[in-house]
Amino acid sequence: MLNVSGLPAERYRICTQISLGPGWKTLMDSRWATTELAWTTYPESGWEEVSGYDDMLSPIRTYQVCNVQKPNQNNWLRTDFIPRRGVLRVYVELKFSVRDCGSIPNIPGSCKETFNLFYYESDGDAATTSSPPWRENPYVKVDTIAPDESFSLLESGIVNTKVRSFGPLSKAGFYLAFQDLGACMSLISARVFFKKCSTTIANFAVFPETATGAEATSLVIAAGACVPNAVEESVPLKLYCNGDGEWMVPVGACTCMPGFEPAKIDTQCQGKCWAFEISLKPIVLRALECLLADASMWIIEAGWKGCKGRSRVRGGCLLSNRVTAKPLSVILTRSFTNVT
């Protein structure tokens, strides 16, 4: 059990820190789909779902649109409902390819090489083919997405990757929406994730996984708890999680209890161990074994390298696995099977 601590203090350094897991968690990834995505499109003559391959040549479901021969395009594509799981800010990673308008013959001047990213918050999965209306407001625009590189007819599709974020979010979930105004492009994948500070150990205290705040500059406080066999040295125990999913500004610390010492790069406290060998006659060994059992000391067998309590009967004596505040370890090198 961890000793949950309270919290402010004088320490502003991390002596040793070990973080567990990546600094992000995915809420939705279109590449997870094993069947059709079946996202909502408007109008039906706009975005089309097709089978394709990602940049690692893995089969995926993608959406494409290429109505560049017709002016005044306004094609919408909306994802399924995405629960936000209590996070305040999310990130969207888009992989896409765009055809160079200059490489397409006989097209009007309305050809585009960009598209728009929107989101719509909701307290439930209530969107339909006509609600909310297909326009900015009620949809909230995140950004106009432009490729770093477009491709021509003679080139293979060049995959662009863009990441955008939005928040603060307050409702149960949201939808993503993509608006095409006349591009020839393929939306290869869309991934929604949030950044987090992973579970970490610092100054002999454990700090839980913590999602980043509503803004990129937000600092979120996480309360810590001493690792087993450690006690609070200064309180409160807390770390700050910044907007990039990194821990900073540690406050407070724990230290190992008496009889324990730092281990595992100062992230654990283990019992101190003093070991020495003895080679005495069986009758003396039996007497020593009984003495140690009565004193509730630790016993170590020959060749064993650590400390642990043991409970067994040998030569008529019960060895206790109870541990005193100052454990003593003895390596027994002789057998007791013939003791009389």
Coordinates of all heavy atoms in Angstrom, one line a residue, residues 53-118:
Y53 N -4.0 2.3 -48.8 CA -2.8 1.9 -48.0 C -2.2 3.1 -47.3 O -2.2 4.2 -47.9 CB -1.7 1.2 -48.9 CG -2.2 -0.1 -49.5 CD1 -2.8 -0.1 -50.7 CD2 -2.0 -1.3 -48.8 CE1 -3.3 -1.3 -51.3 CE2 -2.5 -2.5 -49.4 CZ -3.1 -2.5 -50.6 OH -3.5 -3.6 -51.2
D54 N -1.7 2.9 -46.1 CA -1.1 4.0 -45.4 C 0.4 4.1 -45.8 O 0.8 3.4 -46.7 CB -1.2 3.9 -43.9 CG -0.5 2.7 -43.3 OD1 0.2 2.0 -44.0 OD2 -0.8 2.3 -42.1
D55 N 1.1 5.0 -45.2 CA 2.5 5.2 -45.6 C 3.4 4.0 -45.2 O 4.6 3.9 -45.6 CB 3.1 6.5 -45.0 CG 2.8 6.6 -43.5 OD1 2.1 5.7 -43.0 OD2 3.3 7.6 -42.9
M56 N 2.9 3.0 -44.4 CA 3.6 1.8 -44.1 C 3.1 0.6 -44.9 O 3.4 -0.5 -44.7 CB 3.4 1.5 -42.6 CG 3.9 2.6 -41.7 SD 5.7 2.9 -41.9 CE 6.4 1.4 -41.2
L57 N 2.3 0.9 -45.9 CA 1.7 0.0 -46.9 C 0.8 -1.0 -46.2 O 0.6 -2.2 -46.7 CB 2.8 -0.8 -47.6 CG 3.8 0.1 -48.5 CD1 4.8 -0.8 -49.2 CD2 3.0 0.9 -49.5
S58 N 0.2 -0.6 -45.1 CA -0.8 -1.4 -44.4 C -2.2 -1.1 -45.0 O -2.5 0.1 -45.2 CB -0.8 -1.2 -42.9 OG 0.4 -1.5 -42.4
P59 N -3.1 -2.1 -45.3 CA -4.4 -1.8 -45.8 C -5.3 -1.0 -44.8 O -5.3 -1.3 -43.6 CB -5.0 -3.2 -46.1 CG -4.3 -4.1 -45.2 CD -2.9 -3.5 -45.0
I60 N -5.9 0.1 -45.3 CA -6.8 0.9 -44.5 C -8.0 1.4 -45.3 O -8.0 1.2 -46.5 CB -6.0 2.1 -43.9 CG1 -5.4 2.9 -45.1 CG2 -5.0 1.8 -42.9 CD1 -4.8 4.2 -44.7
R61 N -8.9 2.0 -44.6 CA -10.1 2.6 -45.2 C -9.8 4.1 -45.3 O -9.4 4.7 -44.3 CB -11.3 2.3 -44.5 CG -11.7 0.9 -44.3 CD -12.0 0.2 -45.7 NE -13.2 0.8 -46.3 CZ -13.7 0.4 -47.4 NH1 -13.1 -0.5 -48.2 NH2 -14.8 0.9 -47.9
T62 N -9.9 4.7 -46.5 CA -9.7 6.1 -46.7 C -10.9 6.8 -47.3 O -11.8 6.2 -47.8 CB -8.4 6.3 -47.6 OG1 -8.7 6.0 -48.9 CG2 -7.3 5.5 -47.1
Y63 N -10.8 8.2 -47.3 CA -11.8 8.9 -48.0 C -11.1 9.8 -49.1 O -10.0 10.4 -48.8 CB -12.6 9.8 -47.1 CG -13.8 9.1 -46.4 CD1 -13.6 8.4 -45.2 CD2 -15.0 9.1 -47.1 CE1 -14.7 7.7 -44.7 CE2 -16.1 8.4 -46.5 CZ -15.9 7.7 -45.3 OH -17.0 7.0 -44.8
Q64 N -11.8 10.0 -50.2 CA -11.2 10.8 -51.3 C -12.3 11.6 -51.9 O -13.5 11.3 -51.9 CB -10.5 10.0 -52.3 CG -11.4 9.1 -53.1 CD -10.6 8.2 -54.1 OE1 -9.4 8.0 -54.0 NE2 -11.3 7.8 -55.2
V65 N -11.9 12.8 -52.5 CA -12.8 13.6 -53.2 C -12.0 14.3 -54.3 O -10.8 14.6 -54.2 CB -13.4 14.7 -52.3 CG1 -12.4 15.6 -51.7 CG2 -14.5 15.5 -53.0
C66 N -12.6 14.5 -55.5 CA -11.9 15.1 -56.6 C -13.0 15.6 -57.6 O -13.1 15.1 -58.8 CB -11.0 14.1 -57.3 SG -9.8 14.8 -58.5
N67 N -13.8 16.6 -57.2 CA -14.8 17.2 -58.1 C -14.3 18.5 -58.6 O -15.0 19.5 -58.7 CB -16.1 17.4 -57.3 CG -16.7 16.1 -56.9 OD1 -16.4 15.0 -57.5 ND2 -17.6 16.1 -55.9
V68 N -13.0 18.5 -59.1 CA -12.4 19.8 -59.5 C -12.9 20.3 -60.8 O -12.7 21.4 -61.2 CB -10.9 19.6 -59.6 CG1 -10.3 19.4 -58.2 CG2 -10.5 18.5 -60.5
Q69 N -13.6 19.4 -61.6 CA -14.2 19.9 -62.8 C -15.4 20.8 -62.7 O -15.8 21.4 -63.6 CB -14.6 18.6 -63.7 CG -13.4 17.7 -64.0 CD -12.4 18.3 -64.9 OE1 -12.6 19.3 -65.6 NE2 -11.2 17.7 -64.9
K70 N -16.0 20.8 -61.5 CA -17.2 21.5 -61.2 C -16.9 22.6 -60.2 O -16.2 22.4 -59.2 CB -18.3 20.6 -60.7 CG -18.7 19.5 -61.6 CD -19.7 18.6 -60.9 CE -20.0 17.4 -61.8 NZ -21.0 16.4 -61.2
P71 N -17.3 23.9 -60.4 CA -17.1 25.0 -59.5 C -18.0 24.9 -58.3 O -18.9 24.0 -58.2 CB -17.4 26.2 -60.3 CG -18.4 25.7 -61.3 CD -18.0 24.3 -61.7
N72 N -17.8 25.7 -57.3 CA -18.6 25.9 -56.1 C -18.8 24.6 -55.4 O -19.9 24.2 -55.0 CB -20.0 26.5 -56.6 CG -19.9 27.8 -57.3 OD1 -19.1 28.6 -57.0 ND2 -20.7 27.9 -58.4
Q73 N -17.7 24.0 -55.1 CA -17.8 22.7 -54.3 C -17.9 23.1 -52.8 O -17.3 24.0 -52.3 CB -16.6 21.9 -54.5 CG -16.5 21.3 -55.9 CD -17.6 20.4 -56.2 OE1 -17.8 19.4 -55.5 NE2 -18.4 20.7 -57.2
N74 N -18.7 22.2 -52.1 CA -18.9 22.4 -50.6 C -19.2 21.0 -50.1 O -20.3 20.7 -49.7 CB -20.0 23.4 -50.3 CG -20.1 23.6 -48.8 OD1 -19.1 23.4 -48.1 ND2 -21.2 24.1 -48.4
N75 N -18.2 20.1 -50.0 CA -18.3 18.7 -49.6 C -17.9 18.5 -48.2 O -16.8 18.9 -47.8 CB -17.5 17.9 -50.5 CG -17.9 18.1 -52.0 OD1 -19.1 18.0 -52.4 ND2 -16.9 18.4 -52.8
W76 N -18.8 17.9 -47.4 CA -18.5 17.7 -46.0 C -18.4 16.2 -45.6 O -19.0 15.4 -46.2 CB -19.6 18.3 -45.1 CG -19.6 19.8 -45.0 CD1 -20.1 20.6 -46.0 CD2 -19.2 20.6 -44.0 NE1 -19.9 21.9 -45.6 CE2 -19.4 21.9 -44.3 CE3 -18.6 20.3 -42.7 CZ2 -19.1 23.0 -43.5 CZ3 -18.3 21.4 -41.9 CH2 -18.5 22.7 -42.3
L77 N -17.5 15.9 -44.7 CA -17.3 14.6 -44.2 C -17.2 14.6 -42.7 O -16.4 15.4 -42.1 CB -16.0 14.0 -44.7 CG -15.5 12.6 -44.2 CD1 -16.5 11.5 -44.5 CD2 -14.1 12.3 -44.7
R78 N -18.0 13.8 -42.0 CA -18.0 13.9 -40.5 C -17.8 12.5 -39.9 O -18.3 11.5 -40.3 CB -19.4 14.4 -40.0 CG -19.5 14.6 -38.5 CD -20.9 15.1 -38.1 NE -21.9 14.1 -38.3 CZ -23.1 14.3 -38.8 NH1 -23.5 15.5 -39.0 NH2 -23.9 13.3 -38.9
T79 N -16.9 12.4 -38.9 CA -16.6 11.2 -38.2 C -17.7 10.7 -37.3 O -18.7 11.4 -37.1 CB -15.3 11.3 -37.4 OG1 -15.6 12.2 -36.2 CG2 -14.2 11.9 -38.1
D80 N -17.6 9.5 -36.8 CA -18.5 9.1 -35.7 C -18.2 9.9 -34.5 O -17.2 10.6 -34.3 CB -18.3 7.6 -35.5 CG -18.7 6.7 -36.6 OD1 -19.6 7.2 -37.4 OD2 -18.2 5.6 -36.8
F81 N -19.1 9.7 -33.5 CA -19.0 10.4 -32.2 C -17.7 9.9 -31.5 O -17.5 8.7 -31.4 CB -20.2 10.1 -31.4 CG -20.2 10.8 -30.0 CD1 -20.4 12.2 -29.9 CD2 -20.1 10.1 -28.9 CE1 -20.5 12.9 -28.7 CE2 -20.1 10.7 -27.6 CZ -20.3 12.1 -27.5
I82 N -16.9 10.8 -30.9 CA -15.7 10.5 -30.2 C -15.8 10.9 -28.8 O -15.8 12.1 -28.4 CB -14.5 11.2 -30.9 CG1 -14.4 10.9 -32.4 CG2 -13.2 10.8 -30.1 CD1 -13.4 11.7 -33.1
P83 N -16.0 10.0 -27.8 CA -16.0 10.3 -26.4 C -14.7 11.0 -26.0 O -13.6 10.5 -26.4 CB -16.2 9.0 -25.7 CG -16.8 8.1 -26.7 CD -16.2 8.5 -28.0
R84 N -14.8 12.0 -25.2 CA -13.6 12.8 -24.8 C -12.9 12.2 -23.5 O -11.7 12.6 -23.2 CB -13.8 14.2 -24.6 CG -14.5 14.6 -23.4 CD -14.7 16.2 -23.3 NE -15.5 16.6 -22.2 CZ -14.9 17.0 -21.0 NH1 -13.6 17.0 -20.9 NH2 -15.7 17.4 -20.0
R85 N -13.6 11.4 -22.8 CA -13.0 10.7 -21.6 C -12.4 11.7 -20.6 O -11.3 11.4 -20.0 CB -11.9 9.7 -22.1 CG -12.4 8.6 -23.0 CD -11.3 7.6 -23.3 NE -11.8 6.7 -24.3 CZ -11.0 5.7 -24.9 NH1 -9.8 5.6 -24.5 NH2 -11.5 4.9 -25.8
G86 N -13.1 12.8 -20.4 CA -12.7 13.7 -19.4 C -11.5 14.6 -19.7 O -11.2 15.5 -18.9
V87 N -10.9 14.5 -20.9 CA -9.7 15.4 -21.2 C -10.2 16.7 -21.7 O -11.4 16.9 -22.2 CB -8.8 14.7 -22.3 CG1 -8.3 13.4 -21.8 CG2 -9.6 14.5 -23.6
L88 N -9.4 17.7 -21.6 CA -9.8 19.1 -21.9 C -9.3 19.6 -23.2 O -9.9 20.4 -23.8 CB -9.3 20.0 -20.8 CG -9.8 19.8 -19.4 CD1 -9.1 20.7 -18.4 CD2 -11.3 19.9 -19.3
R89 N -8.2 19.0 -23.7 CA -7.7 19.4 -25.0 C -7.2 18.1 -25.8 O -6.6 17.2 -25.2 CB -6.4 20.3 -24.8 CG -5.9 20.9 -26.1 CD -4.9 22.0 -25.8 NE -4.6 22.8 -27.0 CZ -5.4 23.8 -27.4 NH1 -6.4 24.2 -26.6 NH2 -5.1 24.5 -28.5
V90 N -7.6 18.1 -27.1 CA -7.2 17.0 -27.9 C -6.4 17.4 -29.1 O -6.4 18.6 -29.5 CB -8.5 16.2 -28.4 CG1 -9.3 15.6 -27.2 CG2 -9.4 17.1 -29.2
Y91 N -5.7 16.5 -29.7 CA -4.9 16.7 -30.8 C -5.4 15.8 -32.0 O -5.8 14.7 -31.7 CB -3.4 16.4 -30.5 CG -2.8 17.3 -29.5 CD1 -3.1 17.2 -28.1 CD2 -2.0 18.3 -29.9 CE1 -2.6 18.1 -27.2 CE2 -1.4 19.2 -29.0 CZ -1.7 19.1 -27.6 OH -1.2 20.0 -26.7
V92 N -5.3 16.3 -33.2 CA -5.7 15.6 -34.4 C -4.5 15.4 -35.3 O -3.9 16.5 -35.7 CB -6.9 16.3 -35.1 CG1 -7.3 15.5 -36.3 CG2 -8.0 16.5 -34.2
E93 N -4.2 14.2 -35.6 CA -3.1 13.9 -36.6 C -3.7 13.5 -37.9 O -4.5 12.5 -37.9 CB -2.2 12.8 -36.1 CG -1.1 12.5 -37.1 CD -0.3 11.2 -36.7 OE1 -0.9 10.1 -36.9 OE2 0.8 11.3 -36.2
L94 N -3.5 14.2 -39.0 CA -4.1 13.9 -40.3 C -3.0 13.5 -41.3 O -1.9 14.2 -41.4 CB -4.8 15.2 -40.8 CG -6.0 15.7 -40.0 CD1 -6.5 17.0 -40.6 CD2 -7.1 14.7 -39.8
K95 N -3.2 12.5 -42.0 CA -2.3 12.1 -43.1 C -3.1 12.1 -44.4 O -4.2 11.6 -44.4 CB -1.8 10.6 -42.9 CG -0.8 10.5 -41.7 CD -0.2 9.1 -41.5 CE 0.8 9.1 -40.4 NZ 2.0 9.8 -40.6
F96 N -2.6 12.8 -45.3 CA -3.4 13.1 -46.6 C -2.5 13.4 -47.7 O -1.3 13.7 -47.6 CB -4.3 14.3 -46.3 CG -3.6 15.6 -46.0 CD1 -3.4 16.5 -47.0 CD2 -3.2 15.8 -44.7 CE1 -2.7 17.7 -46.7 CE2 -2.6 17.0 -44.4 CZ -2.3 18.0 -45.4
S97 N -3.0 13.3 -48.9 CA -2.3 13.6 -50.1 C -3.2 14.6 -51.0 O -4.4 14.4 -51.0 CB -1.9 12.4 -50.9 OG -3.0 11.6 -51.3
V98 N -2.6 15.5 -51.7 CA -3.3 16.5 -52.5 C -2.7 16.6 -53.9 O -1.5 16.7 -54.0 CB -3.3 17.9 -51.8 CG1 -4.0 18.9 -52.7 CG2 -3.9 17.8 -50.4
R99 N -3.6 16.6 -54.9 CA -3.1 16.7 -56.3 C -2.8 18.2 -56.6 O -3.6 19.1 -56.2 CB -4.2 16.2 -57.2 CG -3.9 16.3 -58.7 CD -3.0 15.2 -59.2 NE -2.8 15.4 -60.6 CZ -3.5 14.8 -61.6 NH1 -4.6 14.0 -61.2 NH2 -3.2 15.0 -62.9
D100 N -1.7 18.4 -57.3 CA -1.3 19.7 -57.7 C -2.3 20.2 -58.7 O -2.5 19.6 -59.8 CB 0.1 19.7 -58.3 CG 0.6 21.0 -58.8 OD1 -0.2 22.0 -58.7 OD2 1.7 21.1 -59.3
C101 N -3.0 21.3 -58.5 CA -4.0 21.9 -59.4 C -3.4 22.1 -60.8 O -4.0 22.0 -61.8 CB -4.6 23.1 -58.9 SG -5.8 22.9 -57.5
G102 N -2.1 22.6 -60.8 CA -1.5 22.9 -62.1 C -1.2 21.6 -62.9 O -1.0 21.8 -64.1
S103 N -1.4 20.4 -62.3 CA -1.1 19.2 -63.1 C -2.4 18.6 -63.7 O -2.4 17.6 -64.3 CB -0.5 18.2 -62.2 OG -1.3 17.7 -61.2
I104 N -3.6 19.3 -63.4 CA -4.9 18.8 -63.9 C -5.3 19.7 -65.0 O -5.5 20.9 -64.8 CB -5.9 18.9 -62.7 CG1 -5.4 18.1 -61.5 CG2 -7.2 18.3 -63.2 CD1 -6.3 18.2 -60.3
P105 N -5.5 19.2 -66.2 CA -5.9 20.0 -67.4 C -7.4 20.4 -67.4 O -8.2 19.7 -66.8 CB -5.5 19.1 -68.6 CG -5.7 17.7 -68.0 CD -5.3 17.8 -66.6
N106 N -7.7 21.5 -68.0 CA -9.0 21.9 -68.3 C -9.9 22.0 -67.0 O -11.0 21.4 -67.0 CB -9.7 21.0 -69.3 CG -8.9 20.9 -70.6 OD1 -8.4 21.9 -71.1 ND2 -8.7 19.7 -71.1
I107 N -9.4 22.7 -66.0 CA -10.2 22.9 -64.8 C -10.5 24.3 -64.6 O -9.7 25.2 -65.0 CB -9.5 22.3 -63.6 CG1 -8.1 22.9 -63.3 CG2 -9.4 20.8 -63.7 CD1 -7.5 22.5 -62.0
P108 N -11.6 24.7 -63.9 CA -11.8 26.1 -63.6 C -10.9 26.6 -62.5 O -10.2 25.9 -61.9 CB -13.3 26.1 -63.1 CG -13.5 24.7 -62.6 CD -12.6 23.8 -63.4
G109 N -10.9 27.9 -62.4 CA -10.0 28.5 -61.4 C -10.3 28.3 -60.0 O -9.7 28.8 -59.1
S110 N -11.4 27.5 -59.7 CA -11.8 27.3 -58.3 C -11.1 26.1 -57.7 O -11.4 25.7 -56.6 CB -13.3 27.0 -58.3 OG -13.7 25.9 -59.1
C111 N -10.2 25.4 -58.4 CA -9.5 24.3 -57.9 C -8.7 24.7 -56.6 O -8.0 25.7 -56.6 CB -8.5 23.7 -58.9 SG -7.5 22.3 -58.4
K112 N -8.8 23.9 -55.6 CA -8.1 24.1 -54.3 C -7.0 23.1 -54.0 O -7.1 22.0 -54.5 CB -9.1 24.2 -53.2 CG -10.3 25.1 -53.4 CD -9.9 26.6 -53.3 CE -11.1 27.5 -53.4 NZ -10.7 28.9 -53.4
E113 N -6.1 23.4 -53.1 CA -5.1 22.5 -52.6 C -5.1 22.5 -51.1 O -4.2 22.1 -50.5 CB -3.7 22.8 -53.2 CG -3.6 22.6 -54.7 CD -2.2 22.9 -55.2 OE1 -1.3 23.1 -54.4 OE2 -2.0 22.9 -56.4
T114 N -6.3 22.9 -50.5 CA -6.4 22.9 -49.1 C -7.8 22.3 -48.7 O -8.7 22.1 -49.6 CB -6.3 24.4 -48.5 OG1 -7.4 25.1 -49.1 CG2 -5.0 25.0 -48.9
F115 N -8.0 22.1 -47.4 CA -9.3 21.7 -46.9 C -9.4 22.2 -45.5 O -8.4 22.6 -44.9 CB -9.5 20.2 -47.0 CG -8.6 19.4 -46.1 CD1 -9.0 18.9 -44.8 CD2 -7.3 19.1 -46.5 CE1 -8.1 18.2 -44.0 CE2 -6.4 18.4 -45.7 CZ -6.8 17.9 -44.5
N116 N -10.6 22.3 -44.9 CA -10.9 22.8 -43.6 C -11.2 21.7 -42.6 O -11.9 20.8 -42.9 CB -12.0 23.8 -43.6 CG -11.7 25.0 -44.5 OD1 -10.5 25.5 -44.5 ND2 -12.7 25.6 -45.2
L117 N -10.7 21.9 -41.4 CA -10.9 21.0 -40.3 C -11.8 21.7 -39.3 O -11.5 22.8 -38.8 CB -9.6 20.6 -39.6 CG -9.7 19.8 -38.3 CD1 -10.4 18.4 -38.5 CD2 -8.3 19.6 -37.7
F118 N -12.9 21.0 -38.9 CA -13.9 21.5 -37.9 C -14.1 20.5 -36.8 O -13.7 19.3 -36.9 CB -15.2 21.8 -38.5 CG -15.2 22.9 -39.5 CD1 -14.9 22.7 -40.9 CD2 -15.6 24.2 -39.2 CE1 -14.9 23.7 -41.8 CE2 -15.7 25.2 -40.1 CZ -15.3 25.0 -41.4

